[in-house]
Amino acid sequence: MGIGALLGAFIVVTSSVMADKAQDDTQSEVAGQQEKLVLPLQELRAFAEVFERVSSDYVDEVNEKDLLEGAISGMLSSLDPHSSYLPPKNFKEMEEHTKGEFGGLGMEVGMEDGFVKVISPIDDTPAEKAGVKAGDLIVKLGDEPVKGKTLSEAVDIMRGKPGTKLKLTIVRKGEDAPLTLTITRAVIKVKSIKQKMLKDGIGYVRISQFQIRTGQDLVKAINKLDEQNKEPINGLILDLRNNPGGVLTAAVQVSDAFLEEGLIVYTEGRIKNSKMRFEAEKGDVLNGKPIVVLINEGSASASEIVAGALQDQLRAIVVGRTSFGKGSVQTLLPLNNGAAIKVTTARYFTPLGRSIQAEGIKPDIEVDLVKVEKLQASELSNVKEKDLSGHLENGNGASETDDSTESEEQKDSEEIDRLLEKDYELNEAVRVLKTMSLAQKMK
C-alpha cells in the first residue's frame, strides 16, 4: 500500500466516523468538535510512512490489521492508565464483568511504569485466595515480561480457560525479592453485597464491587439485618476496603440510600454530556442511625464517590487509610467493528468540590496497617475466683453452663469475636460506631 493511498484511506475513514457521529443526536457535540479539528498532515504522513516501512521491512511478515489495532491501542494508552482499546473479545468480557460474571483471576488492574498494578483483588476469587494484594506490581505473566505490553494484552493473558494455571511474578513494597504466585483461573462470579450482624445491634455490610444491582441489593441487605436483629439496627459499618469501583450509577444509589437530600457527586469534562450532577432523593434507609465507612489504599473510583459523599454531607465517619485516588470517569464507546474504546471523559468531584484524582479520600480517623496478635496468657494469670477451692457460689441460683451444650447464639458470638480479633480495622470501626451510637442516644 502506498503512502498516499494509506493517507487518503485514513482521512476517508476519519470523515466517515465523523459523519456517523453527526447523525447521532447524543454525539452531535462530539462530532461538532471533531469537525473543527485540523488534522496534522505532516504527522499523518509520518504514520503512513512508518506503517509502510514496518509492513515491508520488519524481520517477520506482519498482519496489517494487527498493526493498525496496535496503533489505536498505543494512541489511547498514551493518554492515561485507564484509557484503552478493547477488541471485540475484550469488549464482550468487560460487559460480562459489569454484570457480575467473567473468567480469569479476579482482580482489578491498571498500568504503572509499564507494569500491571493491582488496584485490588476481588473478594472470594483465585487472586484474593492466593494472597495478591492492592499495590502489587506484576512484572511477569508466566515467562513473559509485562514491560512492553498494553494493559489489554496483559489482561488477555490473565484471562483463560477455567482450571488452567498462570504464574505471576510480583514486586511488592516491603519485600526484598520478587514473589512468585501460581493462580488457577476460574469463572469469576462476583457477589457484590455481603451482610452480617455484629454485637450490640451493629450491622455490617461489605460491598466488594459496584454492579448494576448493587444499590437495590444494599437496601435488601439492611432489611435482612433489621429482621435478624428483631428491630432496626443501631448503626452500620459499610466496608469498602479493596473495592475497585464499578458502575457510577450504583455508587450514586448507594450514597442516596443514606441521604435525605443534597449533592452526591458531580462530573466535569470538555463535552456537555460529561457534565453531570447527581442529587439525593428523600429517604434514608437507616433513619439517621450512625454510619462508619471503612476504606483503604485499594478503595477506588465508585468507592471513593460513596466515601466522599457521605463524608462531605457529614452523614458518616470515614475510617481506615487514604484511598487509591482514581477520580476520573471512563466512557465505553462501541465501534462499528464490534470493538470499543474506553476513554477518560471527565473528572468527578465530591459535594464540597474536592477532586479525588491522584489524591484519594483521606479518612476522618486513620488506622495504620498493623498486624495484631493475641498474646497467650500464662497459666497463673488464667486462675480466677471460680477456680479456687471452696469458692462461694454467686447466689444467682444459676448453674454452671455446660460447654458441650453451647447455644447457636453463643457460637455466633464467638465467631464474631474471632473475626474482630483478626481484623483490627473492623474492630476499630466497631469502637467508633459504638461511640457514635451512644452519643446519639444521649442527645
Side-chain angles (χ1 to χ4, degrees), residues 288-321:
K289 296 291 178 62
I291 305 170
V292 167
V293 178
L294 265 176
I295 62 170
N296 66 2
E297 54 283 334
S299 306
S301 191
S303 300
E304 296 171 294
I305 288 176
V306 174
L310 298 183
Q311 187 180 53
D312 279 8
Q313 295 285 12
L314 302 180
R315 182 64 187 90
I317 296 291
V318 178
V319 174
R321 294 182 297 282

Side-chain angles (χ1 to χ4, degrees), residues 82-221:
H82 307 292
S83 296
S84 61
Y85 173 69
L86 302 170
K89 179 185 174 185
N90 300 62
F91 180 34
K92 183 179 179 182
E93 288 172 345
M94 171 161 280
E95 288 181 309
E96 291 172 351
H97 189 149
T98 59
K99 291 175 184 175
E101 182 172 329
F102 56 98
L105 304 179
M107 53 185 171
E108 191 80 11
V109 296
M111 291 295 283
E112 183 175 290
D113 300 327
F115 298 112
V116 173
K117 182 172 183 177
V118 178
I119 297 175
S120 105
I122 299 170
D123 286 357
D124 300 323
T125 62
E128 193 256 351
K129 292 173 183 175
V132 175
K133 295 184 177 180
D136 284 350
L137 284 179
I138 302 173
V139 297
K140 287 179 75 175
L141 294 165
D143 295 324
E144 296 185 49
V146 171
K147 202 79 169 177
K149 296 185 185 300
T150 65
L151 182 59
S152 292
E153 290 170 336
V155 169
D156 200 42
I157 293 173
M158 287 188 278
R159 295 186 186 278
K161 187 177 179 181
T164 58
K165 297 180 184 295
L166 179 65
K167 182 175 69 174
L168 304 183
T169 304
I170 287 171
V171 173
R172 180 176 295 166
K173 187 177 180 181
E175 296 288 343
D176 296 331
L179 306 173
T180 301
L181 299 176
T182 300
I183 306 177
T184 302
R185 297 181 180 93
V187 174
I188 309 299
K189 295 183 179 180
V190 180
K191 187 178 180 183
S192 175
I193 297 274
K194 293 179 181 177
Q195 77 276 342
K196 179 188 285 289
M197 274 305 303
L198 303 179
K199 292 185 174 182
D200 302 316
I202 292 175
Y204 169 85
V205 170
R206 161 78 179 153
I207 303 180
S208 58
Q209 192 179 58
F210 287 89
Q211 299 170 4
I212 293 170
R213 293 184 54 83
T214 298
Q216 301 168 50
D217 291 342
L218 170 75
V219 175
K220 290 178 182 177

